[in-house]
Amino acid sequence: MDIYLDANATTPVLAQARHAAIQAMVDDYGNPSSIHSTGLKAKSLIDGVRALARRLLGAGDGQLLFTSGATEGIQTAVLSSLGALRERRERGEAIGSLLLYGATEHKAVPEALKHWNRLLGLGLQVQAIPVGTDGLHDLAWLAEHAADAGLVCTMAANNETGVISDLDGIAATLQAAGSRAFWMVDGVQALGKLPLRLAERRIDYAPFSGHKLYAPKGIGLLYVRPGAPFTPLLAGGGQEGSLRSGTENMSGIAALGAVLAALEDGRTFRSGTQLQRFRDRLAEALLSAFPGLVFNAPLAGSLPTTLNFSVPGLPSRLLLDLFDAADVRVSGGSACSAAQAAPSFVLQAMGLPDWQTASAVRLSFGPAADEAFIAEAVARIAACGLALRRSCLAGPSEDPLASDGVLQLSAGGASSWLLVDGERRQAWVLDPQPEFNERVARLLRCHSLQLTAVLDTREPTLAATARADLLQACDAANLAQLITETDAQGWPGSTEAVYTLAPPASALQLSRLQLPADATHPDGPRAAQPVWLLQREGAPALAFVGAAAEHPALAQLLPAGTLLCSDAPGPAALRRVATTSEAAGEPAISPATLAAFVRSQPGLRLVDVREPYEQLLSDMPALHGAELQALPLSRLADPAQGAPAWLAEPGRPLLFFCRSGGRSQQAAQTLRRLGHPAAWTLEGGLAMWQSQGEPVFMPAI
Ligand code: PLP
């Protein structure tokens, strides 16, 4: 069952709102512009919802018009104010040179400013108001620039951090500066959570969006202060008093009305104090599940429904996969930018360190959350923490997983490799990269492994620095067996020596080979370098080649069929010397045809390529009788269980799966690229496989 903790992205639709929408579609379906009874009924519905919104928002005599959502409200407000600025300028009045917006504003605001500034030919400078590490606008900066601003845009509460703006401070600053600027306040995240008292403040425009508060997507509101300039975005049939033409979205308005009625009657939504208690429980659960966790905004000045945090050493993608495996839906920032996996610009604007901006996770719930929902969320957060500990990713491990063979550490633009002899508790690190040192040290500690050797394909000075950095990150206790008599690339003893890494039953032999210098390399001449060859009986050998995957001498140097493990990130690091063996064909299998596919592939093996902490958290769906293997993508090169073993069995069909289909697609494509003809990926991953008829656990609304 889902625990949906991404309410700042959107919310489910409240039961009352669903009923109201259906009633507006089925019974009260009239066009409010019609003058017959059916139309009059629709008109009365709109009037009722508008009056309700006016009371709740403290909108006084201001205009409230229904829009399709906040983005439309923002466009209308920006067009209206910029249109008025242009008129002022044409009349010879000074309008300043700046259009200001808070540096943490939703993208819709600066993009709208740039768009309309260009279209209206205003040529004003669009500039961000800086914020402090607390996320609050720098009022001293605003005081300096306010007199030169034509429009100021400051959100009421931030969608990523929940930071609540000091609207009274902003109003006072604008007034003290004698600013004539128009003022837009994006009220999206504040609706239902903060009293806005719109008419008491000098706010000119305030857009809102229904789907952030249990109404459907596609309905919103725009408040316009009496006397504020207005230019319709949509001209046409004159609906909404000609402020916004187009037949009204009656089902959306009815649904929004039901939500607002629930807000007013106080029975459906929790009070601010209750919400704060809920947030405190979630915050406590997070702190005890993830040692070292920091909150990215002060909780005291934030919405009681939003938590934004980072955990040292855990990128947000890893945490999202972890939570998702426990069926807890959180996000890595705003939903709009989530797909781009870029560091959060909001946290960057707050001046937080890079590691915090790159590993931020947002957890947000709606004011309809109840005790049972929060209790379940707390339990799942604890389970996530436990799964991480058991996978050696956070704190001391309570149940270290056995870890033999080859592990790839990969991120950004590079890979390091770890060879583990589980029996003797020894680890060899190949081409260490500083960004993985912490992780290697943690793996060693957690699995009680001894670092035995640090091998490097790179030139000696680089190799020496990388080795020294890694040793510094490791505990002395994990270095007791380190071989110190080595050559410049970390190889113990003479160049001919061969080391047996694992117990005799699955003996892994490691040997040092030498690649000659390559004067004809396309990226410039390459010096001679070592290559480490790992061999296991019955499977293709693995050659760790660092940056030399394209070296023309590899084919002669290595045994036929050797797989290359380069320093490239992810499965792209795995190559053949010559890529002529690539297997063609479409590797994707849709969940709908899965059962038939399994029947058509005798001996099929389903390979779960998610990380161990994800596997620990989720039950497997029904498997249609196929054999199941768990092998994280980071262990794809493992000689005993991964690609080398599968390539030795080319007739065995393999179907990879993961959470969303991304990693399994990489695995299937890699296997095909390496020449395995029967590798497939489950399209859409477990998310699609499990979606048929799964109950969803959401607040009782
Ligand atoms: N403003 C804020 C603060 C938001 O969080 C959002 C939605 O994420 C928007 C504006 C845009 O709202 P909509 O997508 O409903 O147009």
Side-chain angles (χ1 to χ4, degrees):
M1 282 194 287
D2 279 357
I3 288 288
Y4 184 79
L5 284 168
D6 199 13
N8 287 10
T10 195
T11 50
V13 177
L14 197 69
Q16 300 92 300
R18 291 197 295 265
H19 296 148
I22 288 172
Q23 195 170 357
M25 284 187 267
V26 177
D27 300 324
D28 305 329
Y29 50 81
N31 183 331
S33 298
S34 306
I35 50 165
H36 49 61
S37 311
T38 313
L40 290 179
K41 240 168 115 180
K43 173 85 172 51
S44 134
L45 192 150
I46 296 197
D47 291 344
V49 177
R50 207 188 314 270
L52 184 51
R54 189 180 298 287
R55 286 198 297 277
L56 279 164
L57 296 171
D61 296 334
Q63 301 274 6
L64 270 181
L65 51 138
F66 293 105
T67 62
S68 61
T71 303
E72 183 192 325
I74 291 166
Q75 306 308 306
T76 310
V78 171
L79 169 65
S80 298
S81 41
L82 266 57
L85 288 175
R86 194 166 73 167
E87 281 170 20
R88 277 187 192 170
R89 187 159 73 182
E90 280 162 4
R91 288 198 300 269
E93 294 173 32
I95 59 166
S97 66
L98 300 174
L99 300 174
L100 299 180
Y101 67 97
T104 59
E105 209 74 10
H106 188 277
K107 280 282 174 226
V109 173
E111 290 308 313
L113 289 176
K114 287 183 231 163
H115 180 72
W116 292 107
N117 187 35
R118 194 179 57 245
L119 278 188
L120 296 175
L122 272 169
L124 298 176
Q125 191 185 333
V126 178
Q127 198 170 347
I129 307 165
V131 297
T133 48
D134 53 7
L136 289 173
H137 300 94
D138 181 340
L139 295 186
W141 188 97
L142 182 61
E144 262 176 51
H145 295 82
D148 195 26
L151 171 64
V152 174
C153 306
T154 54
M155 64 199 334
N158 184 268
N159 46 311
E160 285 192 34
T161 58
V163 168
I164 300 168
S165 299
D166 175 9
L167 293 182
D168 291 328
I170 294 168
T173 307
L174 294 178
Q175 192 177 13
S179 171
R180 283 189 73 206
F182 300 112
W183 185 21
M184 179 179 80
V185 172
D186 174 342
V188 170
Q189 297 293 344
L191 186 63
K193 300 163 203 164
L194 293 176
L196 279 166
R197 312 190 323 269
L198 291 170
E200 286 176 35
R201 295 174 157 141
R202 57 148 290 199
I203 296 168
D204 293 296
Y205 309 94
F208 298 91
S209 185
H211 73 100
K212 309 285 183 175
L213 193 74
Y214 305 104
K217 289 151 194 71
I219 184 67
L221 275 169
L222 176 67
Y223 162 82
V224 184
R225 192 172 60 82
F230 192 89
T231 303
L233 183 67
L234 301 177
Q239 289 87 347
E240 293 286 277
S242 289
L243 300 181
R244 200 266 189 188
S245 287
T247 302
E248 294 84 346
N249 170 4
M250 290 307 297
S251 52
I253 292 171
L256 180 62
V259 172
L260 296 178
L263 253 188
E264 192 170 57
D265 75 25
R267 285 197 300 265
T268 307
F269 297 118
R270 308 285 159 265
S271 69
T273 328
Q274 275 171 318
L275 293 174
Q276 254 168 37
R277 267 199 310 110
F278 287 169
R279 180 186 62 184
D280 291 347
R281 282 170 59 191
L282 293 172
E284 250 171 60
L286 287 168
L287 285 168
S288 65
F290 305 107
L293 177 144
V294 292
F295 291 107
N296 293 325
L299 301 193
S302 306
L303 291 174
T305 45
T306 304
L307 285 163
N308 190 309
F309 61 89
S310 299
V311 185
L314 301 183
S316 53
R317 188 56 211 243
L318 183 153
L319 283 166
L320 297 196
D321 286 342
L322 172 77
F323 279 107
D324 216 47
D327 289 331
V328 177
R329 314 299 174 214
V330 297
S331 88
S334 74
C336 314
S337 54
Q340 292 156 20
S344 154
F345 78 89
V346 169
L347 301 185
Q348 280 176 332
M350 290 164 66
L352 298 189
D354 287 349
W355 78 266
Q356 262 169 278
T357 63
S359 53
V361 173
R362 176 185 71 185
L363 186 157
S364 52
F365 56 97
D370 59 17
E371 288 282 347
F373 175 77
I374 297 296
E376 183 63 25
V378 163
R380 300 225 192 153
I381 290 169
C384 288
L386 186 60
L388 270 194
R389 284 199 292 284
R390 290 182 60 187
S391 316
C392 291
L393 277 165
S397 171
E398 294 175 5
D399 178 15
L401 302 167
S403 180
D404 275 331
V406 173
L407 181 79
Q408 182 183 12
L409 300 165
S410 156
S415 277
S416 295
W417 298 85
L418 199 72
L419 312 186
V420 175
D421 174 348
E423 179 86 359
R424 281 182 292 196
R425 314 307 304 159
Q426 289 186 347
W428 293 47
V429 175
L430 278 59
D431 286 345
Q433 310 277 349
E435 62 262 47
F436 307 127
N437 286 349
E438 251 318 300
R439 175 129 180 250
V440 171
R442 207 180 303 144
L443 281 169
L444 296 180
R445 267 197 301 277
C446 172
H447 291 303
S448 309
L449 293 170
Q450 292 286 330
L451 182 63
T452 309
V454 185
L455 305 184
D456 216 303
T457 54
R458 296 165 293 186
E459 50 102 3
T461 38
L462 226 157
T465 319
R467 175 190 168 93
D469 287 350
L470 174 61
L471 298 192
Q472 199 176 10
C474 294
D475 292 344
N478 298 117
L479 298 177
Q481 285 187 31
L482 185 71
I483 303 171
T484 48
E485 290 292 303
T486 70
D487 67 12
Q489 260 95 15
W491 182 252
S494 73
T495 45
E496 288 79 36
V498 171
Y499 285 84
T500 303
L501 266 177
S506 60
L508 287 171
Q509 298 219 308
L510 190 65
S511 40
R512 183 196 205 278
L513 304 175
Q514 181 75 8
L515 262 181
D518 174 12
T520 62
H521 193 279
D523 300 335
R526 291 283 154 98
Q529 68 155 77
V531 160
W532 321 106
L533 189 70
L534 186 70
Q535 286 170 293
R536 177 178 181 272
E537 236 181 70
L542 286 181
F544 297 91
V545 296
E550 312 267 1
H551 200 292
L554 282 172
Q556 291 141 309
L557 186 72
L558 300 172
T562 300
L563 295 188
L564 305 182
C565 297
S566 76
D567 63 356
L574 276 181
R575 313 261 299 256
R576 287 281 203 191
V577 179
T579 47
T580 46
S581 54
E582 195 158 326
E586 177 44 63
I589 301 299
S590 92
T593 59
L594 180 62
F597 176 76
V598 173
R599 279 194 299 275
S600 73
Q601 298 289 332
L604 178 72
R605 181 175 294 172
L606 280 156
V607 186
D608 183 351
V609 291
R610 293 172 305 156
E611 292 299 316
Y613 45 85
E614 295 169 76
Q615 293 165 353
L616 280 168
L617 282 166
S618 55
D619 294 333
M620 282 300 307
L623 295 173
H624 306 290
E627 187 186 323
L628 179 69
Q629 179 186 356
L631 191 88
L633 197 61
S634 52
R635 298 190 62 172
L636 199 62
D638 193 278
Q641 304 170 57
W646 297 325
L647 287 166
E649 226 189 331
R652 156 87 72 178
L654 300 167
L655 176 61
F656 296 96
F657 68 91
C658 63
R659 181 179 68 83
S660 67
R663 286 170 287 178
S664 58
Q665 187 188 25
Q666 290 185 48
Q669 279 171 347
T670 304
L671 260 290
R672 284 182 176 239
R673 192 161 45 73
L674 297 174
H676 194 296
W680 286 276
T681 173
L682 180 64
E683 209 170 32
L686 282 172
M688 299 311 294
W689 192 355
Q690 292 173 317
S691 66
Q692 282 113 31
E694 268 275 308
V696 174
F697 190 87
M698 280 188 296
I701 51 174

